[in-house]
């Protein structure tokens, strides 16, 4: 009997309409298009302007896009996993609300928080459930309203992040397609370098934490950059090696979109040429949990059944990893 593998069988995405360009940022903080482009590769990002809408709005729209495209009956979904670092509410998992709103009435749901690696970790969870035979249809969504936690007077972070959501459906496959391997890592010493200090159980919100701007993302960019370059490249090279993949065997690299220079360093280390590296950082910036599914959605038409894809991510925590997946369909 052939082993059941976990394949991605459908993709959906949503980004809000408002485009925050580098030119607009020049009017908000002391920065310029040349600096942002050369240091990060970002030209613009999408922002969810409506103050009454949260991450669930992005996730619901991404899921609906998938449901419409795949003609999926949402009552058949067994599990909804929402990877996010920006839940609608600190308590009451956003994924639960999303599942109800999309009509996934027979599913259970929860949130997964691993910063920029949330979606990659979620791929591992979804795949394990499918491979075990326990569930048949798992909707994995990555969505973040990063604009809700960014200080738009801080030039070191406000130029980087954007809002967006993406979704994939995992289903069993009997042809050996889908998830093949993964290397997932974390190192809690990293939390000093990329974090929101207040609003959690260590430092609950007070008038002082608000005045001190401790509810916004703080990042020691240089340190995070150094760890990201080394670790993302290491696991990506390692997953190729242990699956006997030469660079010509890899069809696509799907890397977290944090900084173009980190992506280039990872691709170089793997010996992968630019034409195989999926990139949309120039249009969306860093959307945290949404970068990987947004790439799959943007480039879906180019992905062919049987293609070897390496996913890679690095994020706050620190969390990082790499996954090897064989694409399962032509669209
Ligand atoms: O997805 C989660 C993981 N996150 C990451 O992977 C992010 C990793 N880090 C980075 O991508 C980069 O470190 C940044 C893009 C955040 C910053 O780039 P950098 O090349 O590391 O710049 P830097 O922080 O070393 O700053 C260089 C200079 C500084 O000026 P001085 O001290 O040399 O005079 C900064 O003050 O650039 C200045 N600077 C800016 N200048 C114009 C910092 N931000 C800006 C800005 N515009 N927005």
């Amino acid at each position: 009997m052939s082993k059941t593998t976990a394949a991605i069988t459908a993709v959906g995405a949503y980004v809000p309409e408002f485009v925050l360009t580098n030119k607009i940022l020049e009017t908000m903080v002391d920065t310029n298009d040349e600096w942002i482009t050369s240091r990060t590769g970002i030209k613009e990002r999408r922002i969810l302007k409506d103050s009454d809408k949260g991450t669930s709005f992005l996730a619901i729209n991404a899921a609906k896009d998938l449901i419409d495209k795949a003609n999926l009956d949402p009552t058949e979904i067994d599990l909804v996993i929402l990877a996010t670092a920006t839940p609608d509410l600190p308590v009451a998992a956003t994924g639960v609300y999303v599942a109800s709103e999309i009509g996934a009435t027979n599913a259970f749901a929860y949130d997964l928080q691993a910063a920029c690696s949330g979606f990659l970790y979620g791929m591992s969870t979804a795949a394990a459930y499918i491979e075990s035979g326990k569930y048949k249809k798992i909707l994995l969504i990555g969505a973040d309203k990063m604009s809700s936690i960014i200080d738009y007077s801080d030039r070191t972070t406000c130029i980087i992040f954007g809002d967006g959501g993406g979704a994939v459906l995992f289903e069993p496959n009997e042809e050996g397609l889908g998830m093949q391997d993964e290397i997932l890592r974390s190192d809690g010493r990293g939390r000093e370098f990329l974090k929101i200090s207040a609003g959690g159980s260590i430092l609950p919100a007070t008038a002082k934490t608000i005045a001190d701007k401790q509810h916004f993302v703080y990042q020691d960019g240089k340190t995070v950059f150094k760890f990201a370059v080394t670790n993302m490249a290491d696991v990506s090279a390692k997953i190729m090696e242990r699956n006997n993949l030469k660079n010509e065997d890899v069809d696509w690299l799907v890397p977290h979109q944090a900084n173009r220079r980190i992506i280039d360093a990872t691709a170089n280390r793997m010996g992968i040429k630019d034409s195989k590296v999926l990139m949309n950082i120039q249009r969306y910036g860093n959307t945290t949990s949404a970068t990987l599914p947004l790439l799959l959605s943007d480039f879906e038409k180019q992905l062919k059944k049987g293609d070897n894809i390496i996913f890679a991510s690095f994020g706050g925590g620190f969390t990082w990893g790499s996954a090897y997946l064989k694409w399962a369909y032509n669209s």
Side-chain angles (χ1 to χ4, degrees), residues 29-32 35-36 39-40 115-116 154-161 194 219-226 228-229 256-262 286 288 314-316 318:
V29 288
D30 180 15
T31 191
N32 58 80
W35 191 96
I36 301 172
R39 297 288 180 126
T40 69
C116 297
D154 175 6
R155 69 175 183 172
T156 68
T157 51
C158 74
I159 56 128
I160 296 171
F161 295 98
L194 176 47
Q219 175 173 240
D220 173 350
K222 255 194 174 58
T223 305
V224 178
F225 185 90
K226 238 173 26 206
V229 165
H256 174 52
Q257 308 284 293
N259 187 315
R260 194 192 166 120
R261 290 180 291 144
I262 299 173
N286 182 350
T288 303
F314 185 89
F318 294 135

Side-chain angles (χ1 to χ4, degrees), residues 53-227:
K53 293 191 172 81
T55 292
S56 62
F57 180 79
L58 305 167
I60 290 165
N61 281 292
K64 282 185 173 165
D65 182 45
L66 181 152
I67 288 167
D68 289 348
K69 275 168 59 190
N71 206 8
L72 173 71
D73 174 357
T75 64
E76 289 180 3
I77 299 170
D78 300 304
L79 165 62
V80 176
I81 303 172
L82 174 63
T84 187
T86 52
D88 282 3
L89 312 170
V91 173
T94 307
V96 176
Y97 176 72
V98 171
S100 294
E101 289 295 303
I102 61 171
T105 48
N106 294 311
F108 73 108
Y110 58 85
D111 292 356
L112 191 162
Q113 216 288 44
C116 297
S117 301
F119 188 84
L120 189 77
Y121 284 12
M123 286 174 67
S124 167
T125 310
Y129 271 135
I130 298 281
E131 286 159 9
S132 74
K134 199 162 186 177
Y135 302 117
K136 301 268 180 265
K137 287 190 196 310
I138 300 180
L139 187 67
L140 171 63
I141 307 169
D144 270 303
K145 184 183 172 185
M146 292 305 291
S147 60
S148 66
I149 53 171
I150 294 300
D151 173 4
Y152 283 93
S153 65
D154 175 6
R155 69 175 183 172
T156 68
T157 51
C158 74
I159 56 128
I160 296 171
F161 295 98
D163 302 338
V168 301
L169 184 68
F170 272 94
E171 290 186 277
N173 185 282
E174 306 302 331
E175 297 176 88
L177 302 170
M179 281 289 270
Q180 307 293 312
D181 196 12
E182 66 190 35
I183 302 173
L184 305 179
R185 295 281 180 268
S186 62
D187 181 352
R189 286 170 298 182
R191 82 173 180 177
E192 288 312 309
F193 305 110
L194 176 47
K195 64 180 175 184
I196 293 177
S197 300
S201 55
I202 288 183
L203 190 54
T206 62
K208 183 170 183 339
T209 62
I210 293 171
D212 291 348
K213 296 188 166 191
Q214 288 179 294
H215 296 271
F216 292 121
V217 170
Y218 157 81
Q219 175 173 240
D220 173 350
K222 255 194 174 58
T223 305
V224 178
F225 185 90
K226 238 173 26 206
F227 276 93

